[in-house]
C-alpha cells in the first residue's frame, strides 16, 4: 500500500532552488507529524527537517538551517521541502515520512516514523 509519494526531485545547479512535494493518502493526516530525510551514496540516512502535526512547529538539521523550509498543508494532505541555495553536498535521495503523534511539536529524531515514501533524487551540480 502506497501512502506517501514524493515528487519534484531533479538536477539543479549550485545556488539554485528546488521544491520537493509529498502527497499523503492518510486518514487523519492532521494527526501525523511529517519529516524529510535524505541518504547520499555511502552515507547513513539523516534527518533533514520535521514539522508538527498542526504545522506550528518545525525542526531543522544544522546543515540545512536557513536554506531549507519544511511546510505541511492539512487541508490538501501535502508536505513540502523548499530548498534554496543548494549545495553539492545536498545531493541525495530524499524521503518524506509520517509519524502518528500525540503531541503537537516537531520530532527531533527518526524514531516513530513508520510510513515512508519511495524517495526522489536530488542532484546538485557544482
Amino acid at each position: 500500500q502506497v501512502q506517501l509519494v514524493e515528487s519534484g526531485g531533479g538536477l539543479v545547479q549550485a545556488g539554485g532552488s528546488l521544491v520537493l512535494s509529498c502527497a499523503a493518502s492518510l486518514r487523519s493526516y492532521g494527526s501525523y507529524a511529517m519529516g524529510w530525510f535524505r541518504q547520499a551514496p555511502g552515507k547513513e540516512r539523516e534527518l533533514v527537517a520535521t514539522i508538527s502535526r498542526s504545522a506550528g512547529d518545525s525542526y531543522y538539521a544544522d546543515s540545512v538551517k536557513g536554506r531549507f523550509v519544511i511546510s505541511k498543508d492539512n487541508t490538501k494532505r501535502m508536505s513540502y521541502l523548499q530548498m534554496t541555495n543548494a549545495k553539492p553536498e545536498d545531493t541525495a535521495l530524499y524521503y518524506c515520512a509520517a509519524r502518528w503523534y500525540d503531541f503537537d511539536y516537531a520530532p527531533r529524531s527518526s524514531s516513530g516514523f513508520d510510513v515512508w515514501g519511495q524517495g526522489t533524487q536530488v542532484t546538485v551540480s557544482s
Side-chain angles (χ1 to χ4, degrees), residues 7 10 28 30-31 36 41 49 55 61 66 73 75 79 83 95-96 102 106:
S7 62
S28 301
S31 296
W36 283 91
D73 189 329
T75 62
S79 180
M83 306 169 60
Y95 300 88
C96 69
D102 290 335

PDB file of all heavy atoms in Angstrom, residues 7 10 28 30-31 36 41 49 55 61 66 73 75 79 83 95-96 102 106:
ATOM      1  N   SER A   7       7.726  13.856  -5.029  1.00  0.00           N
ATOM      2  CA  SER A   7       7.967  14.313  -6.384  1.00  0.00           C
ATOM      3  C   SER A   7       8.740  15.620  -6.328  1.00  0.00           C
ATOM      4  O   SER A   7       8.865  16.233  -5.274  1.00  0.00           O
ATOM      5  CB  SER A   7       6.660  14.494  -7.157  1.00  0.00           C
ATOM      6  OG  SER A   7       5.841  15.483  -6.552  1.00  0.00           O
ATOM      7  N   GLY A  10      15.284  16.347  -9.010  1.00  0.00           N
ATOM      8  CA  GLY A  10      15.899  16.558 -10.299  1.00  0.00           C
ATOM      9  C   GLY A  10      17.283  17.133 -10.163  1.00  0.00           C
ATOM     10  O   GLY A  10      17.888  17.105  -9.088  1.00  0.00           O
ATOM     11  N   SER A  28      -6.858  10.961   8.766  1.00  0.00           N
ATOM     12  CA  SER A  28      -6.470  11.792   9.907  1.00  0.00           C
ATOM     13  C   SER A  28      -5.065  12.345   9.724  1.00  0.00           C
ATOM     14  O   SER A  28      -4.232  12.291  10.632  1.00  0.00           O
ATOM     15  CB  SER A  28      -6.563  10.981  11.209  1.00  0.00           C
ATOM     16  OG  SER A  28      -7.863  10.495  11.423  1.00  0.00           O
ATOM     17  N   GLY A  30      -3.979  15.221   9.763  1.00  0.00           N
ATOM     18  CA  GLY A  30      -3.663  16.248  10.739  1.00  0.00           C
ATOM     19  C   GLY A  30      -3.128  15.710  12.052  1.00  0.00           C
ATOM     20  O   GLY A  30      -2.628  16.488  12.871  1.00  0.00           O
ATOM     21  N   SER A  31      -3.199  14.402  12.257  1.00  0.00           N
ATOM     22  CA  SER A  31      -2.683  13.782  13.473  1.00  0.00           C
ATOM     23  C   SER A  31      -1.258  13.264  13.308  1.00  0.00           C
ATOM     24  O   SER A  31      -0.706  12.692  14.241  1.00  0.00           O
ATOM     25  CB  SER A  31      -3.593  12.632  13.916  1.00  0.00           C
ATOM     26  OG  SER A  31      -4.882  13.112  14.268  1.00  0.00           O
ATOM     27  N   TRP A  36      11.258  15.078   6.570  1.00  0.00           N
ATOM     28  CA  TRP A  36      12.021  14.859   5.347  1.00  0.00           C
ATOM     29  C   TRP A  36      13.400  14.348   5.736  1.00  0.00           C
ATOM     30  O   TRP A  36      14.042  14.905   6.630  1.00  0.00           O
ATOM     31  CB  TRP A  36      12.145  16.134   4.515  1.00  0.00           C
ATOM     32  CG  TRP A  36      10.892  16.472   3.758  1.00  0.00           C
ATOM     33  CD1 TRP A  36       9.865  17.261   4.173  1.00  0.00           C
ATOM     34  CD2 TRP A  36      10.554  16.023   2.438  1.00  0.00           C
ATOM     35  NE1 TRP A  36       8.898  17.340   3.196  1.00  0.00           N
ATOM     36  CE2 TRP A  36       9.296  16.587   2.124  1.00  0.00           C
ATOM     37  CE3 TRP A  36      11.184  15.209   1.498  1.00  0.00           C
ATOM     38  CZ2 TRP A  36       8.658  16.350   0.900  1.00  0.00           C
ATOM     39  CZ3 TRP A  36      10.549  14.979   0.284  1.00  0.00           C
ATOM     40  CH2 TRP A  36       9.302  15.542   0.000  1.00  0.00           C
ATOM     41  N   PRO A  41      24.916   8.390  -1.393  1.00  0.00           N
ATOM     42  CA  PRO A  41      25.648   7.131  -1.584  1.00  0.00           C
ATOM     43  C   PRO A  41      26.763   6.959  -0.565  1.00  0.00           C
ATOM     44  O   PRO A  41      27.565   7.870  -0.355  1.00  0.00           O
ATOM     45  CB  PRO A  41      26.204   7.261  -2.998  1.00  0.00           C
ATOM     46  CG  PRO A  41      25.249   8.181  -3.687  1.00  0.00           C
ATOM     47  CD  PRO A  41      24.856   9.169  -2.637  1.00  0.00           C
ATOM     48  N   ALA A  49      14.546  17.698   8.117  1.00  0.00           N
ATOM     49  CA  ALA A  49      13.619  18.613   8.768  1.00  0.00           C
ATOM     50  C   ALA A  49      12.368  17.867   9.187  1.00  0.00           C
ATOM     51  O   ALA A  49      12.000  16.862   8.581  1.00  0.00           O
ATOM     52  CB  ALA A  49      13.253  19.773   7.838  1.00  0.00           C
ATOM     53  N   ALA A  55       1.474  21.904  12.045  1.00  0.00           N
ATOM     54  CA  ALA A  55       2.378  22.735  11.252  1.00  0.00           C
ATOM     55  C   ALA A  55       2.808  24.000  11.979  1.00  0.00           C
ATOM     56  O   ALA A  55       3.323  24.927  11.361  1.00  0.00           O
ATOM     57  CB  ALA A  55       1.766  23.094   9.896  1.00  0.00           C
ATOM     58  N   ALA A  61      17.965  20.239  10.621  1.00  0.00           N
ATOM     59  CA  ALA A  61      19.355  19.882  10.827  1.00  0.00           C
ATOM     60  C   ALA A  61      20.218  21.120  10.617  1.00  0.00           C
ATOM     61  O   ALA A  61      19.890  21.993   9.809  1.00  0.00           O
ATOM     62  CB  ALA A  61      19.777  18.778   9.858  1.00  0.00           C
ATOM     63  N   GLY A  66      18.333  27.616   7.617  1.00  0.00           N
ATOM     64  CA  GLY A  66      18.469  28.874   6.903  1.00  0.00           C
ATOM     65  C   GLY A  66      18.400  28.738   5.403  1.00  0.00           C
ATOM     66  O   GLY A  66      18.291  29.749   4.691  1.00  0.00           O
ATOM     67  N   ASP A  73       0.443  21.100   4.750  1.00  0.00           N
ATOM     68  CA  ASP A  73      -0.892  21.594   4.460  1.00  0.00           C
ATOM     69  C   ASP A  73      -1.883  20.489   4.795  1.00  0.00           C
ATOM     70  O   ASP A  73      -1.987  19.497   4.069  1.00  0.00           O
ATOM     71  CB  ASP A  73      -1.006  22.005   2.992  1.00  0.00           C
ATOM     72  CG  ASP A  73      -2.302  22.726   2.680  1.00  0.00           C
ATOM     73  OD1 ASP A  73      -3.324  22.445   3.334  1.00  0.00           O
ATOM     74  OD2 ASP A  73      -2.293  23.582   1.778  1.00  0.00           O
ATOM     75  N   THR A  75      -5.166  20.576   4.869  1.00  0.00           N
ATOM     76  CA  THR A  75      -6.366  20.531   4.038  1.00  0.00           C
ATOM     77  C   THR A  75      -6.098  19.804   2.728  1.00  0.00           C
ATOM     78  O   THR A  75      -6.971  19.106   2.210  1.00  0.00           O
ATOM     79  CB  THR A  75      -6.902  21.941   3.749  1.00  0.00           C
ATOM     80  OG1 THR A  75      -5.935  22.697   3.028  1.00  0.00           O
ATOM     81  CG2 THR A  75      -7.240  22.648   5.045  1.00  0.00           C
ATOM     82  N   SER A  79       2.959  17.749   2.121  1.00  0.00           N
ATOM     83  CA  SER A  79       4.117  18.309   2.783  1.00  0.00           C
ATOM     84  C   SER A  79       5.113  18.733   1.715  1.00  0.00           C
ATOM     85  O   SER A  79       5.211  18.092   0.666  1.00  0.00           O
ATOM     86  CB  SER A  79       4.765  17.298   3.732  1.00  0.00           C
ATOM     87  OG  SER A  79       5.898  17.861   4.370  1.00  0.00           O
ATOM     88  N   MET A  83      13.923  24.058  -1.039  1.00  0.00           N
ATOM     89  CA  MET A  83      15.372  24.071  -0.996  1.00  0.00           C
ATOM     90  C   MET A  83      15.876  25.293  -1.745  1.00  0.00           C
ATOM     91  O   MET A  83      15.553  25.494  -2.911  1.00  0.00           O
ATOM     92  CB  MET A  83      15.941  22.799  -1.628  1.00  0.00           C
ATOM     93  CG  MET A  83      15.389  21.514  -1.033  1.00  0.00           C
ATOM     94  SD  MET A  83      15.825  20.031  -2.003  1.00  0.00           S
ATOM     95  CE  MET A  83      17.611  20.103  -1.943  1.00  0.00           C
ATOM     96  N   TYR A  95      13.518  11.464   1.148  1.00  0.00           N
ATOM     97  CA  TYR A  95      12.314  10.748   1.538  1.00  0.00           C
ATOM     98  C   TYR A  95      11.434  11.625   2.423  1.00  0.00           C
ATOM     99  O   TYR A  95      11.932  12.395   3.238  1.00  0.00           O
ATOM    100  CB  TYR A  95      12.648   9.493   2.345  1.00  0.00           C
ATOM    101  CG  TYR A  95      13.500   8.461   1.654  1.00  0.00           C
ATOM    102  CD1 TYR A  95      14.888   8.524   1.709  1.00  0.00           C
ATOM    103  CD2 TYR A  95      12.914   7.404   0.971  1.00  0.00           C
ATOM    104  CE1 TYR A  95      15.674   7.567   1.092  1.00  0.00           C
ATOM    105  CE2 TYR A  95      13.692   6.444   0.356  1.00  0.00           C
ATOM    106  CZ  TYR A  95      15.069   6.525   0.421  1.00  0.00           C
ATOM    107  OH  TYR A  95      15.840   5.571  -0.184  1.00  0.00           O
ATOM    108  N   CYS A  96      10.136  11.485   2.282  1.00  0.00           N
ATOM    109  CA  CYS A  96       9.235  12.039   3.279  1.00  0.00           C
ATOM    110  C   CYS A  96       8.698  10.884   4.113  1.00  0.00           C
ATOM    111  O   CYS A  96       8.652   9.736   3.666  1.00  0.00           O
ATOM    112  CB  CYS A  96       8.092  12.846   2.655  1.00  0.00           C
ATOM    113  SG  CYS A  96       6.867  11.899   1.731  1.00  0.00           S
ATOM    114  N   ASP A 102       0.950  12.090  19.408  1.00  0.00           N
ATOM    115  CA  ASP A 102       0.004  12.583  20.405  1.00  0.00           C
ATOM    116  C   ASP A 102       0.281  14.027  20.800  1.00  0.00           C
ATOM    117  O   ASP A 102      -0.589  14.689  21.364  1.00  0.00           O
ATOM    118  CB  ASP A 102       0.044  11.716  21.664  1.00  0.00           C
ATOM    119  CG  ASP A 102      -0.538  10.340  21.458  1.00  0.00           C
ATOM    120  OD1 ASP A 102      -1.385  10.179  20.554  1.00  0.00           O
ATOM    121  OD2 ASP A 102      -0.160   9.417  22.204  1.00  0.00           O
ATOM    122  N   ALA A 106       7.483  19.396  16.724  1.00  0.00           N
ATOM    123  CA  ALA A 106       8.284  18.760  15.688  1.00  0.00           C
ATOM    124  C   ALA A 106       9.239  17.747  16.291  1.00  0.00           C
ATOM    125  O   ALA A 106      10.048  18.104  17.150  1.00  0.00           O
ATOM    126  CB  ALA A 106       9.063  19.816  14.906  1.00  0.00           C
TER     127      ALA A 106
END
